[in-house]
Structures are given as structure tokens and as C-alpha cells.
Amino acid sequence: MNEKKSDTISIVVPCFNEGASIPAFYNELTRVFGEMDAVYELIFIDDGSSDDTLFVVKSLAKRDENVKFISFSRNFGKEAAMLAGLEASTGDYAAVMDADLQDPPALLKQMYAELKKGVYDCIATRRATREGEPKIRSFFARLFYKIINKISSTEIVDGARDYRLMTRSMVDAVLSLREYNRFSKGIFSWVGFKTHWISYQNIGRSAGETKWSFSKLLLYSLDGIMAFSTVPLSIASVFGLIFCLIAVVLIVVIVAKTLIWGDPVAGYPSMMCVIFLLSGVQLFSIGVIGQYLSKTYMETKRRPIYITRETNIENMEK
Ligand code: UDP
Ligand code: MG
């Protein structure tokens, strides 16, 4: 037995069809921990994969007792996987990492050293550039960050990755947010604590391909906006106010015109345009309200965020 107990770092790894990446990831991670004065607890979350992810993870767990796994009953999404992993984590520190080696394990050393100084509660990473990403995707990503930071009081950092190392108190704070519609980039920022950012160059996936299609990203960004801002809800009121003002002015103008020049036949085309415009604005506003309502509806159902099918962790009955 060591006299001085070294820290335990829990590594949470959401995996969706990552069977091909996991062995390389595991080797790299254990190599890095071999050079560190800390013990690892590796928690793989099999997010309803249809490949051999669970098999690969289980065989790792057989030879390494520090490897834990949670296997979901179906695909619940990366957010649910991160939550499950953080809930299961017991380390003094916890990190979230992708299984595809895009989040270099070697950085952990630097992150841990920085955290140990006790100044920060979290060391987070962001991409230095958007190199290697399709132009159109970068454009929309930038637009998203611009919009959300304008209309939300929670700061969402452009290019932030989910890769971060946190202290136990920050993890507990993150876990205390029990919302169903989870948007981690917002949650990590909302809980506060002192975060230090380090940038690194974007690296390509080691194997497999990205699980994010453009439409998945678009929906995710809308979720993010709705989870951290209610400004879209006020858009309806603003439109309503503007159109009321315009209507008052128009009424005055029309009444005056009628009194002075009589009542010629009103213009049908202009009338149609106004009707279309106003119904459009109304439907749009109702749509926005409907989106928030549907989120509220899902929250009030209090459904579990994920369902575990199999795990080697005790006390994980959810
Ligand atoms: N992931 C997941 N569930 C999903 C989608 C993705 O657990 O529904 C995991 C995936 O296996 C990977 C991480 O989330 O470990 C990030 O996904 P990916 O690498 O596809 O995203 P990118 O790095 O391209 O942003
Ligand atoms: Mg990736």
C-alpha cells in the first residue's frame, strides 16, 4: 500500500459505435496514466451502439478492474451518456472525453497539473481553429454562437469541446441540474466555478466517422438556445407591438383619406400581402411558443434521461 493516497481521476467516455476506436483509446490513456501520479477510473457508456462496442468494452473490463461500463437500452444521445458517466464517477476529479482520440489523452497531464494548483475548478479545452471542417458548417456554427451569446446570459464559448477535467465539487454541481433537455456547453458554464481554457489544434478521428449530421447539429443548437434563453418567446410580443403601432398609424391615415377624398375601392393585392405577412408572423410566433411548450411538456413528464440495460457498476439501478 502506498502511504500517500494518489488522486483518482474518473474518465467518462460516451461511445456510440466506437468499437474500432476504443482499443487505441484505451492504450493511449493507460500509457498517459502510467506517467501520472494519479489512478484512473475509466467509465465507458455504450450509448445503444449497434457494433461491437459493448463486447470490446466488456473484454477490457475483464482484464482491467478500473474499467467500468454502462450500456444503455437504446441510443439516448451523448448528453445522456455524459450524465450517466458523471453520475457513476467516484473520482476526486472527472473528465469527459470522446472515444475517437480527438480529445488527446496526453493533455490530461497538463490539465491535472493545472487543477492541482488549486486556482481553478475546471480545465476546459477549445479548438484553436475550425480547420478541416466544411465551410458551410463553420458558418452556421459561428452564427449559432453569435446568436446564443446575444440572447442568453450564460456564456457559451465558441469552439468549446466537451473535453474537460473538473473537480468533484463542480461535477456535483453539474449533476444537481436535473433537466431533461440537457445542453452541456450551457450547463458547464451556468454552474459557474473557475474555468481555465486551453486551446489545441483540431485532430481528425482515429477511426469511424462523426455521429453528427448537419440536421442533428441544427436541432442540437436549437435545443441549446431554448434551454438557455427565453428571448425567442418575447419575439412574439415585439412583433405584436410593432404591428399594433403600424395598424394605428394606418387607421388614422385611412380614416383621414376617406373623410377628405371619399371611399374608393380598396386595393385587393395589398390587402392579401398584409394578410399573408401577419398570418406568417402569427404562425411563426405560435411555433416558437409551441417549441417551448413541448420542452416544458417533456420536462414535466419526468422521464428518466437514460435507461441502463447492463453495467458492472453497483448501485447504478436507475
Ligand atoms: N456519441 C454518443 N452518442 C451519440 C452520438 C455520439 O455517445 O448519439 C459519442 C461518440 O461516440 C463520441 C462522442 O460522443 O465518443 C463525440 O461524437 P463524434 O466524435 O461523432 O462528434 P465530433 O467529434 O465529430 O463532434
Ligand atoms: Mg469526435
Side-chain angles (χ1 to χ4, degrees):
M1 270 276 141
N2 276 348
E3 280 169 353
K4 185 176 142 276
K5 181 186 161 288
S6 26
D7 290 324
T8 305
I9 302 183
S10 303
I11 309 283
V12 172
V13 194
C15 303
F16 179 48
N17 295 339
E18 301 282 9
S21 319
I22 291 172
F25 171 80
Y26 175 79
N27 291 339
E28 175 65 8
L29 194 91
T30 41
R31 187 190 66 76
V32 169
F33 270 95
E35 298 168 1
M36 278 167 72
D37 174 33
V39 184
Y40 65 86
E41 171 193 51
L42 193 49
I43 307 170
F44 288 105
I45 298 93
D46 163 34
D47 185 11
S49 305
S50 51
D51 69 349
D52 59 348
T53 297
L54 183 59
F55 175 79
V56 174
V57 166
K58 273 177 154 177
S59 40
L60 284 181
K62 245 181 233 149
R63 33 180 250 245
D64 184 343
E65 57 170 11
N66 295 332
V67 173
K68 314 263 169 68
F69 68 87
I70 302 167
S71 178
F72 286 174
S73 61
R74 64 168 170 85
N75 179 252
F76 280 89
K78 188 183 178 187
E79 289 290 342
M82 285 196 283
L83 175 73
L86 289 176
E87 274 179 347
S89 70
T90 56
D92 309 291
Y93 301 89
V96 179
M97 281 173 95
D98 284 9
D100 54 16
L101 284 175
Q102 273 186 312
D103 300 332
L107 265 186
L108 273 175
K109 253 194 283 184
Q110 187 189 337
M111 291 159 96
Y112 177 59
E114 192 70 41
L115 263 194
K116 278 298 265 184
K117 290 182 194 161
V119 180
Y120 296 105
D121 308 287
C122 172
I123 310 295
T125 60
R126 58 187 298 183
R127 300 201 282 188
T129 61
R130 291 196 167 272
E131 233 166 82
E133 195 184 56
K135 284 244 154 37
I136 181 97
R137 183 175 282 201
S138 306
F139 171 78
F140 280 109
R142 290 224 173 80
L143 189 68
F144 163 71
Y145 286 108
K146 249 192 214 130
I147 294 178
I148 197 162
N149 282 317
K150 272 251 156 61
I151 65 178
S152 168
S153 50
T154 306
E155 197 202 353
I156 316 283
V157 175
D158 188 357
R161 298 209 36 107
D162 290 327
Y163 184 25
R164 54 175 69 221
L165 184 66
M166 296 170 275
T167 57
R168 176 54 34 193
S169 40
M170 175 147 174
V171 173
D172 288 342
V174 167
L175 291 177
S176 70
L177 269 67
R178 299 304 312 169
E179 59 217 74
Y180 180 82
N181 295 290
R182 299 186 77 80
F183 183 67
S184 287
K185 286 185 188 2
I187 291 177
F188 289 141
S189 164
W190 189 90
V191 294
F193 291 93
K194 290 205 163 46
T195 301
H196 175 66
W197 289 93
I198 47 184
S199 304
Y200 69 93
Q201 281 297 327
N202 201 19
I203 319 167
R205 267 182 157 269
S206 63
E209 51 191 61
T210 178
K211 309 297 181 299
W212 294 94
S213 62
F214 190 78
S215 56
K216 229 175 158 184
L217 274 179
L218 185 72
L219 288 178
Y220 186 59
S221 58
L222 289 180
D223 276 354
I225 289 177
M226 277 181 279
F228 282 90
S229 168
T230 50
V231 169
L233 276 178
S234 0
I235 289 177
S237 334
V238 174
F239 273 140
L241 204 68
I242 294 174
F243 281 111
C244 282
L245 288 178
I246 295 176
V248 169
V249 173
L250 277 181
I251 289 170
V252 172
V253 170
I254 289 169
V255 169
K257 262 171 85 176
T258 316
L259 288 179
I260 300 169
W261 290 294
D263 187 14
V265 177
Y268 174 73
S270 54
M271 178 107 98
M272 285 312 282
C273 293
V274 171
I275 291 177
F276 268 103
L277 175 71
L278 290 188
S279 350
V281 170
Q282 282 177 3
L283 284 179
F284 175 74
S285 310
I286 292 176
V288 171
I289 296 171
Q291 286 299 318
Y292 279 90
L293 184 66
S294 71
K295 299 275 170 211
T296 316
Y297 177 58
M298 291 312 286
E299 293 286 351
T300 52
K301 283 186 188 228
R302 302 212 138 270
R303 283 186 181 163
I305 296 171
Y306 58 87
I307 293 171
T308 306
R309 195 181 76 90
E310 202 181 336
T311 173
N312 64 349
I313 303 171
E314 283 158 41
N315 315 319
M316 265 307 282
E317 269 82 64
K318 268 267 131 47

